[in-house]
Amino acid sequence: MKSTRCCTVQKIRYLLATDLDGTFVGDEEGLRELLDYYDSLPERVALAYVTGRHRASAMGLIREERLPVPDILITDVGTSVYSGPDLAEDPGWKQRMTENWDPQAVRGIARGISGIRLQNLPDTRRVSFFSEGGEPAEKLKNALTSDGIPHTFIFSSGRDVDILPEGGGKGEALRYVIGKFAEVDASILVAGDSGNDLDMLMLGYPSVIVSNARPELLEAEGHDALFRATRPCAGGILEAWMHFHGNTADIKG
Ligand code: GLC
Ligand code: MG
């Protein structure tokens, strides 16, 4: 019989979908504890990294920090999805992210706003800026809206402004990934620490805000399956995994 790629036939049953900086990465001891716990389980927990970094930057961090290579990599604030053994770009998501996207128009509008500096990125799948506080960011948001430019606006850490194609963002990308790769009743945990994680934390899946989160998350309204960890970074993820799926070991055979 012809062999088939794992993920097209066998869907994910356990999934950790986590931001990298300040969430999965940031507390080495906590990360070791989390990974040792996952190693001790009879069934593998699949990993999806959901990051604001571009692909090369994310791969650099994975190498430097010796992180496990993920099953799924979502980069550029949810505008790109990569999966499989070679982390190949997902053509369906790429198609969605390019069909109604005009990065030149975004750049043009931003040029007229002071206090906004363009981030240096390898391509234009998103257009990101550094803003001197909230005010220039707000002006850009209003200008894009009044000019009728289809986009998604994300503001994080009081500084980072990401202008994404409409329907982009970590939340929508993760929803797409879960729909495509996970079983309907999969055990999922979503983890984050800053503004660009908000939409994925609010999808309604079991989610954790780590204790070191930025104010924009600490202040966010919760939902029934949102856990606020007492530990920072990966230690907080472990705390939340135990809270939601601590009986994982018992239900596997
Ligand atoms: C990461 C990215 C940056 C982005 C920020 C917020 O720091 O490197 O480009 O603006 O996340 O999403
Ligand atoms: Mg982060």
Side-chain angles (χ1 to χ4, degrees):
M1 199 171 74
K2 226 174 147 193
S3 74
T4 332
R5 277 259 188 92
C6 79
C7 305
T8 53
V9 282
Q10 206 184 343
K11 289 205 163 187
I12 291 169
R13 291 177 59 188
Y14 298 92
L15 174 68
L16 171 65
T18 178
D19 168 53
L20 290 175
D21 298 89
T23 307
F24 197 65
V25 176
D27 172 14
E28 259 181 56
E29 210 172 294
L31 181 56
R32 184 58 26 231
E33 256 182 82
L34 175 68
L35 295 177
D36 285 351
Y37 171 69
Y38 283 162
D39 278 349
S40 77
L41 296 176
E43 197 165 332
R44 213 171 73 81
V45 175
L47 280 175
Y49 296 156
V50 194
T51 178
R53 290 177 180 242
H54 57 78
R55 181 188 169 115
S57 168
M59 295 309 288
L61 184 72
I62 290 168
R63 265 194 313 275
E64 278 159 31
E65 299 287 329
R66 293 202 208 111
L67 307 179
V69 173
D71 301 79
I72 292 151
L73 178 63
I74 300 176
T75 68
D76 294 279
V77 205
T79 57
S80 308
V81 170
Y82 305 93
S83 68
D86 310 324
L87 291 173
E89 183 153 21
D90 189 285
W93 189 250
K94 188 174 181 184
Q95 161 82 22
R96 270 208 223 175
M97 290 294 98
T98 45
E99 56 198 5
N100 197 14
W101 178 227
D102 185 354
Q104 290 314 326
V106 175
R107 283 172 175 228
I109 288 172
R111 251 178 242 130
I113 297 171
S114 62
I116 285 272
R117 186 162 50 90
L118 189 67
Q119 289 186 24
N120 187 13
L121 293 169
D123 56 60
T124 54
R125 56 189 79 216
R126 56 159 164 143
V127 182
S128 296
F129 303 89
F130 297 120
S131 173
E132 288 166 17
E135 217 174 283
E138 197 61 29
K139 278 192 193 150
L140 176 59
K141 182 183 182 179
N142 293 338
L144 290 169
T145 306
S146 61
D147 278 33
I149 309 288
H151 71 283
T152 300
F153 176 94
I154 310 276
F155 188 45
S156 317
S157 313
R159 187 191 74 157
D160 301 328
V161 183
D162 302 305
I163 310 302
L164 318 173
E166 203 170 35
K170 290 186 175 189
E172 287 309 312
L174 183 57
R175 195 203 300 278
Y176 172 85
V177 157
I178 289 172
K180 182 164 174 177
F181 297 107
E183 281 185 4
V184 175
D185 59 351
S187 297
I188 292 168
L189 178 65
V190 183
D193 79 313
S194 83
N196 70 1
D197 301 314
L198 188 62
D199 56 2
M200 69 169 176
L201 293 166
M202 294 301 153
L203 289 174
Y205 293 107
S207 296
V208 56
I209 296 179
V210 290
S211 70
N212 55 298
R214 308 283 311 194
E216 68 255 23
L217 281 200
L218 296 175
E219 288 156 11
E221 257 183 55
H223 57 77
D224 287 351
L226 182 71
F227 182 83
R228 294 175 195 270
T230 64
R231 297 184 60 188
C233 304
I237 299 178
L238 178 57
E239 199 186 336
W241 189 277
M242 299 310 288
H243 172 80
F244 290 113
H245 311 306
N247 59 351
T248 301
D250 307 336
I251 52 180
K252 288 182 233 154

